[in-house]
Coordinates of all heavy atoms in Angstrom, one line a residue:
M25 N 57.0 -0.7 -17.5 CA 57.5 -1.6 -18.5 C 57.8 -3.0 -17.9 O 58.3 -3.1 -16.8 CB 58.8 -1.0 -19.1 CG 58.6 0.2 -20.0 SD 57.7 -0.1 -21.5 CE 59.1 -0.8 -22.5
G26 N 57.5 -4.0 -18.6 CA 57.7 -5.4 -18.1 C 59.2 -5.7 -18.1 O 60.0 -5.1 -18.9
K27 N 59.6 -6.7 -17.3 CA 61.0 -7.1 -17.3 C 61.0 -8.6 -17.4 O 60.1 -9.3 -17.0 CB 61.6 -6.7 -15.9 CG 61.7 -5.2 -15.7 CD 63.0 -4.7 -16.3 CE 63.2 -3.2 -15.9 NZ 64.3 -2.7 -16.7
L28 N 62.1 -9.1 -18.0 CA 62.4 -10.5 -17.9 C 63.5 -10.7 -16.9 O 64.4 -9.9 -16.8 CB 63.0 -11.0 -19.3 CG 62.0 -10.9 -20.5 CD1 62.7 -11.4 -21.7 CD2 60.8 -11.7 -20.2
V29 N 63.4 -11.7 -16.0 CA 64.3 -11.9 -15.0 C 65.0 -13.3 -15.2 O 64.3 -14.3 -15.5 CB 63.7 -11.7 -13.6 CG1 62.6 -12.7 -13.4 CG2 64.7 -11.9 -12.5
C30 N 66.3 -13.4 -14.9 CA 67.0 -14.6 -15.0 C 66.8 -15.4 -13.7 O 67.0 -14.9 -12.7 CB 68.5 -14.4 -15.3 SG 69.5 -15.9 -15.2
P31 N 66.3 -16.7 -13.8 CA 66.1 -17.5 -12.6 C 67.4 -17.9 -11.9 O 67.4 -18.3 -10.8 CB 65.3 -18.7 -13.1 CG 65.7 -18.8 -14.5 CD 65.9 -17.4 -15.0
M32 N 68.5 -17.7 -12.7 CA 69.8 -18.2 -12.1 C 70.5 -17.0 -11.4 O 70.9 -17.2 -10.2 CB 70.7 -18.7 -13.2 CG 70.1 -19.8 -14.0 SD 69.9 -21.3 -13.0 CE 71.7 -21.8 -13.0
C33 N 70.6 -15.9 -12.0 CA 71.4 -14.8 -11.4 C 70.6 -13.5 -11.1 O 71.1 -12.6 -10.5 CB 72.6 -14.4 -12.3 SG 72.1 -13.5 -13.8
G34 N 69.3 -13.5 -11.5 CA 68.5 -12.4 -11.1 C 68.6 -11.2 -12.1 O 68.0 -10.1 -11.8
E35 N 69.5 -11.3 -13.1 CA 69.6 -10.2 -14.1 C 68.2 -9.9 -14.7 O 67.4 -10.8 -15.0 CB 70.5 -10.7 -15.2 CG 70.7 -9.7 -16.4 CD 71.7 -8.6 -16.1 OE1 72.3 -8.6 -15.0 OE2 71.8 -7.7 -16.9
E36 N 68.0 -8.6 -14.9 CA 66.7 -8.1 -15.5 C 67.0 -7.4 -16.8 O 67.9 -6.6 -16.9 CB 66.0 -7.2 -14.5 CG 65.5 -7.9 -13.2 CD 64.8 -7.0 -12.3 OE1 64.5 -5.8 -12.7 OE2 64.4 -7.5 -11.2
V37 N 66.1 -7.7 -17.8 CA 66.2 -7.0 -19.0 C 64.8 -6.6 -19.4 O 63.8 -7.2 -19.0 CB 66.9 -7.8 -20.2 CG1 68.3 -8.2 -19.8 CG2 66.0 -9.1 -20.5
A38 N 64.7 -5.6 -20.3 CA 63.3 -5.2 -20.8 C 62.7 -6.3 -21.6 O 63.4 -7.0 -22.4 CB 63.4 -3.9 -21.6
V39 N 61.4 -6.4 -21.5 CA 60.7 -7.4 -22.4 C 60.8 -6.9 -23.8 O 60.6 -5.7 -24.1 CB 59.2 -7.5 -21.9 CG1 58.4 -8.3 -22.9 CG2 59.1 -8.1 -20.5
P40 N 61.1 -7.8 -24.8 CA 61.2 -7.3 -26.2 C 59.8 -6.7 -26.7 O 58.8 -7.2 -26.2 CB 61.5 -8.6 -26.9 CG 62.1 -9.5 -25.9 CD 61.4 -9.2 -24.6
V41 N 59.9 -5.8 -27.6 CA 58.7 -5.1 -28.1 C 58.5 -5.5 -29.5 O 59.5 -5.7 -30.3 CB 58.9 -3.6 -28.0 CG1 57.8 -2.8 -28.7 CG2 58.9 -3.1 -26.5
H42 N 57.2 -5.7 -29.9 CA 56.9 -6.0 -31.3 C 55.6 -5.2 -31.6 O 54.7 -5.2 -30.9 CB 56.6 -7.5 -31.5 CG 56.9 -8.0 -32.9 ND1 55.9 -7.9 -33.9 CD2 57.9 -8.6 -33.4 CE1 56.4 -8.5 -35.0 NE2 57.7 -8.9 -34.7
C43 N 55.6 -4.5 -32.8 CA 54.5 -3.7 -33.2 C 54.1 -2.7 -32.1 O 52.9 -2.4 -31.8 CB 53.3 -4.6 -33.6 SG 53.6 -5.6 -35.0
G44 N 55.1 -2.2 -31.4 CA 54.9 -1.1 -30.4 C 54.4 -1.6 -29.1 O 54.1 -0.7 -28.2
Q45 N 54.2 -2.9 -28.9 CA 53.8 -3.4 -27.6 C 54.7 -4.5 -27.1 O 55.3 -5.1 -27.9 CB 52.4 -3.9 -27.7 CG 51.3 -3.0 -28.2 CD 50.4 -2.5 -27.0 OE1 50.5 -2.9 -25.9 NE2 49.5 -1.6 -27.4
E46 N 54.8 -4.6 -25.8 CA 55.6 -5.7 -25.2 C 55.0 -7.1 -25.7 O 53.8 -7.3 -25.8 CB 55.6 -5.7 -23.7 CG 56.3 -4.5 -23.2 CD 56.2 -4.4 -21.7 OE1 55.7 -5.3 -21.0 OE2 56.8 -3.4 -21.1
M47 N 56.0 -8.0 -26.0 CA 55.6 -9.3 -26.3 C 55.1 -10.1 -25.0 O 55.5 -9.6 -23.9 CB 56.7 -10.0 -27.0 CG 57.1 -9.3 -28.3 SD 58.5 -10.1 -29.1 CE 57.7 -11.4 -30.1
H48 N 54.4 -11.1 -25.2 CA 54.0 -11.9 -24.0 C 54.4 -13.4 -24.2 O 54.7 -13.8 -25.3 CB 52.5 -11.8 -23.8 CG 51.6 -12.3 -24.9 ND1 51.3 -11.6 -26.1 CD2 51.1 -13.5 -25.1 CE1 50.6 -12.3 -26.9 NE2 50.4 -13.5 -26.4
K49 N 54.3 -14.1 -23.1 CA 54.8 -15.5 -23.1 C 53.7 -16.4 -23.6 O 52.6 -16.3 -23.0 CB 55.3 -15.8 -21.7 CG 56.0 -17.2 -21.7 CD 56.7 -17.3 -20.3 CE 57.5 -18.6 -20.2 NZ 56.7 -19.8 -19.8
E50 N 54.0 -17.3 -24.5 CA 53.0 -18.4 -24.9 C 53.9 -19.6 -25.0 O 54.7 -19.7 -25.9 CB 52.4 -18.1 -26.2 CG 51.1 -17.3 -26.1 CD 50.3 -17.1 -27.4 OE1 50.4 -18.0 -28.3 OE2 49.6 -16.1 -27.5
G51 N 53.6 -20.5 -24.1 CA 54.5 -21.7 -24.0 C 55.9 -21.3 -23.7 O 56.1 -20.7 -22.7
D52 N 56.8 -21.7 -24.6 CA 58.2 -21.3 -24.4 C 58.7 -20.3 -25.3 O 59.9 -20.1 -25.6 CB 59.1 -22.6 -24.5 CG 59.0 -23.3 -25.8 OD1 58.2 -22.8 -26.6 OD2 59.7 -24.3 -26.0
Q53 N 57.7 -19.5 -25.9 CA 58.0 -18.4 -26.8 C 57.5 -17.1 -26.3 O 56.6 -17.0 -25.5 CB 57.4 -18.7 -28.2 CG 58.0 -19.9 -28.9 CD 57.7 -19.9 -30.4 OE1 56.5 -19.7 -30.8 NE2 58.7 -20.0 -31.2
L54 N 58.1 -16.1 -26.9 CA 57.6 -14.7 -26.7 C 56.8 -14.4 -28.0 O 57.3 -14.6 -29.1 CB 58.7 -13.7 -26.6 CG 59.4 -13.7 -25.2 CD1 60.7 -12.9 -25.2 CD2 58.4 -13.1 -24.2
V55 N 55.6 -13.9 -27.9 CA 54.7 -13.7 -29.0 C 54.2 -12.3 -29.0 O 53.9 -11.7 -28.0 CB 53.5 -14.7 -28.9 CG1 52.5 -14.5 -30.0 CG2 54.0 -16.1 -28.9
C56 N 54.1 -11.7 -30.2 CA 53.6 -10.4 -30.5 C 52.1 -10.3 -30.0 O 51.3 -11.3 -30.2 CB 53.7 -10.0 -32.0 SG 52.9 -8.5 -32.4
W57 N 51.6 -9.1 -29.6 CA 50.2 -9.0 -29.2 C 49.3 -9.1 -30.4 O 48.1 -9.4 -30.2 CB 50.0 -7.6 -28.5 CG 50.2 -6.4 -29.4 CD1 51.4 -5.9 -29.8 CD2 49.2 -5.7 -30.1 NE1 51.2 -4.8 -30.7 CE2 49.9 -4.7 -30.8 CE3 47.8 -5.7 -30.1 CZ2 49.2 -3.7 -31.6 CZ3 47.1 -4.8 -30.8 CH2 47.8 -3.8 -31.6
M58 N 49.9 -9.0 -31.6 CA 49.1 -9.2 -32.8 C 48.9 -10.7 -33.1 O 48.1 -11.0 -34.0 CB 49.7 -8.5 -34.0 CG 49.9 -7.0 -33.9 SD 48.3 -6.2 -34.4 CE 48.4 -6.4 -36.1
G59 N 49.6 -11.5 -32.4 CA 49.5 -12.9 -32.7 C 50.9 -13.5 -33.2 O 51.7 -12.8 -33.7
A60 N 51.0 -14.8 -33.0 CA 52.2 -15.5 -33.4 C 52.5 -15.4 -34.9 O 53.7 -15.5 -35.3 CB 52.1 -17.0 -33.0
G61 N 51.4 -15.2 -35.7 CA 51.6 -15.0 -37.1 C 52.4 -13.7 -37.5 O 53.0 -13.6 -38.5
C62 N 52.4 -12.8 -36.6 CA 53.1 -11.5 -36.8 C 54.5 -11.6 -36.3 O 55.4 -11.3 -37.0 CB 52.3 -10.4 -36.1 SG 53.2 -8.8 -36.2
G63 N 54.6 -12.1 -35.1 CA 56.0 -12.2 -34.5 C 56.1 -13.1 -33.3 O 55.2 -13.1 -32.5
A64 N 57.0 -14.0 -33.4 CA 57.3 -14.9 -32.3 C 58.8 -15.2 -32.3 O 59.4 -15.2 -33.3 CB 56.5 -16.2 -32.4
Q65 N 59.3 -15.4 -31.1 CA 60.7 -15.7 -30.9 C 60.9 -16.6 -29.7 O 60.0 -16.6 -28.8 CB 61.6 -14.4 -30.8 CG 61.3 -13.7 -29.5 CD 62.2 -12.5 -29.3 OE1 62.1 -11.5 -30.1 NE2 63.1 -12.5 -28.4
P66 N 61.9 -17.4 -29.7 CA 62.2 -18.2 -28.4 C 62.4 -17.3 -27.3 O 62.9 -16.1 -27.4 CB 63.5 -19.0 -28.7 CG 63.6 -18.9 -30.2 CD 63.0 -17.6 -30.7
M67 N 62.0 -17.7 -26.1 CA 62.2 -16.9 -24.9 C 63.7 -16.6 -24.8 O 64.6 -17.4 -25.1 CB 61.8 -17.7 -23.6 CG 62.0 -17.0 -22.3 SD 61.3 -15.4 -22.2 CE 59.5 -15.8 -21.9
V68 N 64.0 -15.3 -24.4 CA 65.4 -14.9 -24.2 C 66.0 -15.8 -23.1 O 65.4 -16.1 -22.1 CB 65.4 -13.4 -23.7 CG1 66.8 -12.9 -23.5 CG2 64.6 -12.6 -24.7
E69 N 67.3 -16.2 -23.4 CA 68.0 -17.0 -22.4 C 69.1 -16.2 -21.7 O 69.6 -15.3 -22.3 CB 68.6 -18.2 -23.1 CG 67.5 -19.2 -23.6 CD 68.1 -20.5 -24.1 OE1 69.4 -20.6 -24.1 OE2 67.3 -21.4 -24.4
H70 N 69.4 -16.6 -20.5 CA 70.4 -16.0 -19.7 C 71.0 -17.1 -18.8 O 70.2 -17.9 -18.3 CB 69.9 -14.8 -18.8 CG 71.0 -13.9 -18.4 ND1 71.6 -14.0 -17.2 CD2 71.4 -12.7 -19.0 CE1 72.5 -13.0 -17.1 NE2 72.4 -12.2 -18.2
C71 N 72.3 -17.2 -18.7 CA 72.9 -18.3 -17.9 C 72.4 -19.6 -18.4 O 72.3 -20.6 -17.6 CB 72.6 -18.1 -16.4 SG 73.2 -16.6 -15.7
G72 N 72.1 -19.7 -19.7 CA 71.7 -21.0 -20.3 C 70.3 -21.4 -19.9 O 69.8 -22.5 -20.2
Q73 N 69.5 -20.5 -19.3 CA 68.1 -20.8 -18.9 C 67.2 -19.8 -19.5 O 67.6 -18.6 -19.7 CB 68.0 -20.7 -17.3 CG 68.9 -21.7 -16.6 CD 68.2 -23.0 -16.5 OE1 67.0 -23.2 -16.5 NE2 69.1 -24.0 -16.5
A74 N 66.0 -20.2 -19.8 CA 65.0 -19.3 -20.3 C 64.6 -18.3 -19.2 O 64.4 -18.7 -18.1 CB 63.7 -20.1 -20.7
M75 N 64.6 -17.0 -19.6 CA 64.2 -16.0 -18.6 C 62.7 -16.1 -18.3 O 62.0 -16.6 -19.1 CB 64.7 -14.6 -19.1 CG 66.2 -14.5 -19.3 SD 66.8 -12.9 -19.7 CE 66.9 -12.1 -18.1
E76 N 62.3 -15.5 -17.2 CA 60.9 -15.5 -16.8 C 60.4 -14.1 -16.8 O 61.1 -13.1 -16.4 CB 60.8 -16.1 -15.4 CG 61.2 -17.6 -15.4 CD 61.3 -18.2 -14.1 OE1 61.1 -17.4 -13.1 OE2 61.5 -19.4 -14.0
I77 N 59.1 -13.9 -17.1 CA 58.5 -12.6 -17.1 C 58.3 -12.2 -15.6 O 57.7 -13.0 -14.9 CB 57.2 -12.5 -17.9 CG1 57.6 -12.6 -19.4 CG2 56.5 -11.2 -17.6 CD1 56.4 -12.5 -20.3
K78 N 58.8 -11.1 -15.2 CA 58.6 -10.7 -13.8 C 57.2 -10.2 -13.6 O 56.7 -9.3 -14.4 CB 59.6 -9.5 -13.5 CG 59.8 -9.2 -12.0 CD 60.9 -8.2 -11.9 CE 61.1 -7.9 -10.4 NZ 62.1 -6.8 -10.3
E79 N 56.5 -10.7 -12.6 CA 55.1 -10.3 -12.3 C 55.1 -8.9 -11.6 O 55.9 -8.7 -10.7 CB 54.4 -11.3 -11.5 CG 54.4 -12.7 -12.2 CD 53.6 -12.7 -13.5 OE1 52.8 -11.8 -13.7 OE2 53.8 -13.6 -14.3
Ligands
ZN14 ZN1 54.1 -7.8 -34.3
ZN15 ZN1 71.6 -15.1 -15.6

């Protein structure tokens, strides 16, 4: 399972799921694998910063 990591404190949370699959990053948003027309949300924030997908 993918994780989002906070660049400030290192906190890790699970990547949000949409339509049964993990969402992916497009620009500054998280987008459903079905496309942005299905589901999109701003990147999760932690410590006032956008979290990053852990590789
Ligand atoms: Zn979806
Ligand atoms: Zn944090």
Side-chain angles (χ1 to χ4, degrees):
M25 290 293 280
K27 295 276 190 190
L28 297 178
V29 60
C30 173
M32 301 294 285
C33 73
E35 175 80 4
E36 294 182 2
V37 299
V39 174
V41 170
H42 207 278
C43 299
Q45 301 254 0
E46 291 178 5
M47 298 178 86
H48 63 274
K49 189 168 184 277
E50 271 186 28
D52 58 358
Q53 291 200 311
L54 283 167
V55 177
C56 175
W57 66 281
M58 296 280 287
C62 178
Q65 67 178 67
M67 178 55 75
V68 180
E69 292 192 357
H70 202 269
C71 299
Q73 298 279 328
M75 297 186 84
E76 296 170 356
I77 292 181
K78 193 175 181 185
E79 301 296 340

